[in-house]
Amino acid sequence: MPETNGTQLTEEEIKSFGSLAKSLEGRRAAGPKVTTAYPSGPPQGMQAYLGPSMFQPHRARQAIRDAHEKKIPPLIGFYAGLSSIPLMRYMAPFGFDVVWIDWEHTSCNVETMTSLVHDAIFMSQGKTIPFVRVPGHDHAAIGFALDAGASIVIPQLETVEEAKHVMSSSKFGTKNRGTRSAPPFRLIPTLTDQGYDGARDVWQNLNDQAAVMVQIESLAGINNLDAILTECPDIDVVWLGALDCRISMNLPANFGMGSEPEWLEAKEKFYATLKKHNKPLAGFCLAPGDALTEAAQEHSMILHCADVTKLLELPQELANAREAVKGVVKQ
């Protein structure tokens, strides 16, 4: 008699499960294939990399590789540092290629993170790929973000062992050294669980859709990066967390900038390792014009705007307003 969680199934339960499985397979075979309704007209932005359903992750791995190979321009992104659902709903139609949802450094919970991911995808009509920076290397947190339909950012990666753990947590199946759990009803059977590649099931397809970005944020991480990328070739894109890295090296934070010999040596080693492994690079470039054009030569993804930096413009606007109105005061 089959068992589930140590409890024997009754004959009726076995028949019930069998009937459900046959029904779903019959619906798949009968077709037609039903997917989430997409916008009409030619694809815009990352709509070209949508999966079969907007409940699934974009084919972000392919988008990043195409940008790395200069088949498309670098992905331009927005940093959402405040975990604000109303703000996400407001900016989603703008059409950024990427939105970075910072789950690591906000009081965002699982439900809020999931809503942010869904709003980014659906309210942009698929033009925006959400990346969630997860809080640490927790297996469950990685699964929550991927189940929501996001690609992921792994912070503070330092060792091969950590890299193997997070990559295992993000993949299905032993062929991919995966330990990710399949969510049975996150995708609706026969409606939103179609595979992009019809020759493989949805779980195998999902392994090739969501991207994994890792952040190297310490000298130890830089020194181990060659071994990390050798042992974990499925890492899709790498980010140098310069601020944290400088702090960990006991250097002045200085917004991640500096010219100390040890810092220049560390950066040179980082970039040489990426070049050796032909890995895409992601990073910030908040400046416009020539600085952005220069960044595009090396970066496959650029975060160019942020909610927090736009809000930092308000103090100067307030000062300008006070200056403009102070003359009305009668002496």
Side-chain angles (χ1 to χ4, degrees), residues 42-63:
Q44 300 178 37
M46 293 298 103
Q47 286 177 341
Y49 296 92
L50 278 167
S53 161
M54 283 194 281
F55 286 94
Q56 296 183 22
H58 285 73
R59 293 181 296 116
R61 302 189 72 189
Q62 187 63 53

Side-chain angles (χ1 to χ4, degrees), residues 21-307:
K22 289 180 180 179
S23 173
L24 294 179
E25 289 304 316
R27 290 173 62 184
R28 285 194 179 94
K33 303 297 187 185
V34 181
T35 58
T36 304
Y38 286 167
S40 59
Q44 300 178 37
M46 293 298 103
Q47 286 177 341
Y49 296 92
L50 278 167
S53 161
M54 283 194 281
F55 286 94
Q56 296 183 22
H58 285 73
R59 293 181 296 116
R61 302 189 72 189
Q62 187 63 53
I64 291 169
R65 179 54 56 178
D66 284 351
H68 181 61
E69 296 175 355
K70 308 302 182 188
K71 296 178 181 178
I72 61 173
L75 280 58
I76 302 299
F78 176 90
Y79 172 79
L82 300 178
S83 293
S84 167
I85 291 175
L87 181 59
M88 181 66 74
R89 291 174 179 170
Y90 188 83
M91 57 74 55
F94 292 178
F96 284 95
D97 298 318
V98 167
V99 61
W100 174 301
I101 298 167
D102 199 342
W103 192 15
E104 181 190 21
H105 289 301
T106 66
S107 57
C108 179
N109 59 23
V110 173
E111 290 81 6
T112 299
M113 178 276 295
T114 301
S115 294
L116 290 168
V117 169
H118 289 170
D119 287 348
I121 297 172
F122 284 91
M123 294 193 176
S124 73
Q125 295 185 307
K127 293 191 289 290
T128 300
I129 300 175
F131 274 75
V132 171
R133 176 156 65 175
V134 297
H137 304 160
D138 180 61
H139 185 283
I142 291 169
F144 279 133
L146 291 169
D147 288 352
S151 290
I152 58 172
V153 181
I154 303 296
Q156 296 184 316
L157 196 71
E158 285 194 333
T159 69
V160 170
E161 290 72 23
E162 291 173 349
K164 287 181 176 180
H165 167 73
V166 299
M167 294 307 296
S168 174
S169 300
S170 69
K171 300 294 182 182
F172 297 110
T174 57
K175 287 184 179 179
N176 295 280
R177 296 187 289 189
T179 56
R180 183 181 169 193
S181 177
F185 291 104
R186 171 71 74 162
L187 299 175
I188 303 171
T190 76
L191 293 179
T192 62
D193 70 342
Q194 309 298 336
Y196 183 83
D197 171 5
R200 301 180 299 164
D201 71 15
V202 65
W203 312 113
Q204 294 170 326
N205 277 276
L206 290 176
N207 282 338
D208 292 334
Q209 289 175 219
V212 178
M213 181 193 303
V214 300
Q215 289 190 288
I216 304 300
E217 303 186 88
S218 68
L219 184 58
I222 292 175
N223 288 335
N224 290 328
L225 184 58
D226 185 25
I228 288 170
L229 296 178
T230 299
E231 293 294 326
C232 299
D234 280 344
I235 290 172
D236 296 292
V237 56
V238 184
W239 178 296
L240 176 61
L243 177 65
D244 273 323
C245 193
R246 285 181 59 83
I247 292 171
S248 77
M249 293 173 66
N250 304 302
L251 298 171
N254 197 31
F255 294 100
M257 298 180 290
S259 57
E260 301 88 348
E262 62 266 44
W263 176 241
L264 297 180
E265 181 181 353
K267 288 203 304 179
E268 182 179 359
K269 184 172 186 178
F270 172 84
Y271 292 119
T273 304
L274 281 197
K275 185 174 182 180
K276 173 184 175 180
H277 290 270
N278 192 27
K279 282 295 178 183
L281 171 68
F284 273 116
C285 181
L286 300 177
D290 291 343
L292 187 57
T293 302
E294 183 179 350
Q297 299 303 315
E298 301 295 333
H299 289 73
S300 302
M301 180 192 301
I302 300 171
L303 294 192
H304 183 56
C305 304
D307 49 11

